[in-house]
Amino acid sequence: MIALALLLAAQWSALVTIAELQRGPAQVELTLPGLPDGETKICFGRQSAAEYASGLPKDPSDDACLLATSSAGVLTARYQLDLEAFCRRSRDPDDCSRGPSGIAMTDKALLALPRRGRASLSVRFVLPEGVEVAAPWDKQGGAKGRFLTTAGQIRDGSYLALGKLARLEDIKVEGGVFQLALFDLPRRSSLPGVRNWLLDPARAVGKFWRGLPGGRALLILQPVPDNGRGGIFGSVLHSGVSSAVLYFGADATDADLPGGWVAFHELFHAGQPSLATRSAWFIEGTATYYQDVLRARSGSRTSAEMWSDLGQSLVDHCAPEGGMSLEEESRELRRTHNYPHVYWMGACTAFRLDVRMRELSAGKRSLDDALVRLAALGKDRDLEVSEVLAELDKATAGLASELVHMTKDPRPIKDELLRLGVEMKGDTAVLHDDAPQAALRRAIF
């Protein structure tokens, strides 16, 4: 009990020194008080990082861990991470991705820590001239490169940006703020234009979730050369304080950037609860549904445009494939790589749950309310998928479990759309305001 109390009360510290960003390694020095004397494992949250670490012995029983020693109740350890080789092999910000102006990576691929303990963690970066760091942590004492976070946040994971960065004005939203860090590369868009691209998605997401976990989220923005698309793709870590990496075309102009689905989809993840087990039908399915709903609500697209996009995708993907339920397809996703179908079948499930909740409550409640409640339940812990289903079943009279487990769809989605007054003609939606549930359709957008 005494050792545990020390572990909870202690402040750990990490010093990260990078002498040359393009070729040099990251030197990491750890000082972790409150640990029992003797050998202690310190582990990366990304197993691949340990392959590029040196200076400490590897744990022969755990490929993600290094072995360090505590003495007089304090662990002091030094190791280095070969960023050049690591980024060259990975090219993924979940590990390490290097671009012309810097590196995007996760903190759990940089900092190896004990797997237990909720200590606060002071992190200081010593970087070359002209190199900055952006992290979704508290700035410590106003000093450059100094932050305060927690060991738990490192284990959950946050994105970091290291390089030549252009700082944009924060976007204040309901209950929080989006912080912006742009890799400063040649591009056709202006700084105000890049920020303007994110205004509607950020405000719509802040309003939907009625705030942001931790009160803020960090958006790392990466221009992609020889590409003119507004939003290309992105990735989000949303345990604790959220962070994201968003890629957009360097050839896109200020007029090209706004209105696309990518920013709405990725920023929506910032408010979602974390699950103990990956479940694409819920996490990606709801984000895919609301990427269209929120674009229409924000005025980025008209209702007819959004029903054309949403309606056709629902028609194409609502039915299960290959005799597998949505739950099974989600579980097998990394093997099958059938991402578009699972994401959009999850979106179809979200749509049907939204309609059912509005019907049962005479328009007083919607899927919005159920998701906000789930986010509140998961504020300080990972939710089990069974908890998610139980909450959704409670709100929809059991429809959630039925849809997630069915292997054949007995209700053609076109019929459900027609009751809402959405008639699909090719890939265009024709809206009929005399349909039985036209008022319900209008309420969604």
Side-chain angles (χ1 to χ4, degrees):
M1 293 296 293
I2 294 175
L4 180 59
L6 286 171
L7 191 60
L8 296 179
Q11 182 177 99
W12 295 350
S13 65
L15 171 63
V16 180
T17 304
I18 303 175
E20 210 286 306
L21 191 63
Q22 289 302 319
R23 297 186 184 86
Q27 306 278 355
V28 179
E29 299 179 40
L30 301 174
T31 304
L32 313 180
L35 296 174
D37 290 353
E39 192 171 77
T40 300
K41 292 198 299 187
I42 55 172
C43 305
F44 294 97
R46 299 291 290 184
Q47 180 177 320
S48 52
E51 299 175 36
Y52 299 91
S54 61
L56 289 173
K58 305 286 177 69
D59 181 356
S61 64
D62 193 330
D63 291 342
C65 300
L66 308 174
L67 296 176
T69 302
S70 297
S71 177
V74 179
L75 181 149
T76 55
R78 294 177 177 84
Y79 65 86
Q80 65 179 26
L81 189 68
D82 186 343
L83 290 177
E84 182 183 16
F86 187 29
C87 294
R88 186 171 62 245
R89 195 198 80 162
S90 171
R91 301 182 182 178
D92 183 340
D94 283 347
D95 287 322
C96 183
S97 174
R98 188 191 301 277
S101 65
I103 290 172
M105 67 184 304
T106 53
D107 49 9
K108 60 183 179 179
L110 176 65
L111 299 175
L113 297 174
R115 283 190 167 139
R116 294 186 60 212
R118 299 191 300 273
S120 62
L121 178 68
S122 171
V123 185
R124 180 163 72 95
F125 289 87
V126 177
L127 301 169
E129 185 70 27
V131 174
E132 296 183 76
V133 58
W137 308 326
D138 291 327
K139 293 182 179 178
Q140 194 173 23
K144 184 178 179 180
R146 290 178 180 265
F147 301 91
L148 189 64
T149 182
T150 66
Q153 180 67 54
I154 302 296
R155 294 188 200 99
D156 288 336
S158 301
Y159 287 118
L160 310 176
L162 298 157
K164 185 180 179 183
L165 304 176
R167 298 301 181 109
L168 288 77
E169 182 185 349
D170 294 346
I171 299 176
K172 295 180 181 179
V173 300
E174 184 175 323
V177 61
F178 283 93
Q179 300 168 332
L180 312 179
L182 169 69
F183 280 110
D184 199 4
L185 291 168
R187 62 187 187 280
R188 295 185 65 192
S189 53
S190 66
L191 290 179
V194 173
R195 184 177 182 273
N196 186 59
W197 163 43
L198 300 166
L199 281 176
D200 282 344
R203 289 168 176 167
V205 165
K207 182 178 180 180
F208 181 93
W209 292 113
R210 303 162 202 176
L212 295 171
R216 66 181 180 276
L218 171 68
L219 305 182
I220 297 169
L221 310 171
Q222 175 76 64
V224 177
D226 302 319
N227 193 302
R229 291 167 56 192
I232 300 173
F233 66 96
S235 185
V236 177
L237 293 170
H238 59 95
S239 292
V241 179
S242 296
S243 53
V245 181
L246 296 178
Y247 297 85
F248 67 96
D251 293 339
T253 65
D254 287 0
D256 295 327
L257 287 172
W261 64 267
V262 170
F264 282 90
H265 180 106
E266 301 301 345
L267 269 59
F268 185 83
H269 285 310
Q272 289 178 312
S274 295
L275 302 186
T277 306
R278 290 177 62 93
S279 188
W281 72 261
F282 175 71
I283 294 296
E284 296 295 348
T286 53
T288 301
Y289 174 56
Y290 280 101
Q291 74 190 28
D292 281 340
V293 171
L294 295 186
R295 277 195 290 170
R297 289 182 186 174
S298 70
S300 295
R301 288 290 186 270
T302 67
S303 180
E305 288 171 334
M306 285 301 91
W307 278 114
S308 294
D309 182 26
L310 180 61
Q312 188 56 49
S313 296
L314 297 183
V315 169
D316 290 342
H317 295 289
C318 262
E321 290 183 349
M324 286 199 298
S325 69
L326 179 54
E327 180 185 50
E328 291 172 312
E329 287 201 61
S330 292
R331 193 166 54 243
E332 296 294 318
L333 189 55
R334 288 191 173 183
R335 180 182 63 82
T336 64
H337 301 288
N338 197 8
Y339 291 95
H341 178 68
V342 170
Y343 285 22
W344 275 107
M345 192 174 170
C348 183
T349 299
F351 162 70
R352 284 171 154 163
L353 296 177
D354 195 12
V355 171
R356 174 64 66 89
M357 285 190 67
R358 293 172 187 274
E359 289 174 333
L360 292 176
S361 66
K364 295 179 181 178
R365 299 190 72 238
S366 70
L367 184 60
D368 299 24
D369 303 298
L371 296 187
V372 169
R373 172 168 168 74
L374 285 167
L377 290 174
K379 181 180 179 181
D380 298 314
R381 63 185 178 89
D382 292 344
L383 296 181
E384 299 293 338
V385 177
S386 58
E387 291 180 88
V388 172
L389 270 177
E391 285 293 323
L392 294 176
D393 277 341
K394 190 190 308 180
T396 61
L399 181 62
S401 288
E402 178 187 339
L403 294 175
V404 169
H405 295 132
M406 72 182 183
T407 55
K408 291 184 179 179
D409 186 359
R411 298 175 299 277
I413 192 66
K414 284 187 176 182
D415 292 348
E416 296 187 44
L417 290 170
L418 283 172
R419 284 196 293 274
L420 294 171
V422 180
E423 181 184 5
M424 296 306 303
K425 293 188 175 181
D427 58 1
T428 301
V430 178
L431 305 183
H432 301 284
D433 284 340
D434 57 350
Q437 295 180 320
L440 187 153
R441 181 201 76 228
R442 291 192 293 270
I444 293 175
F445 288 177

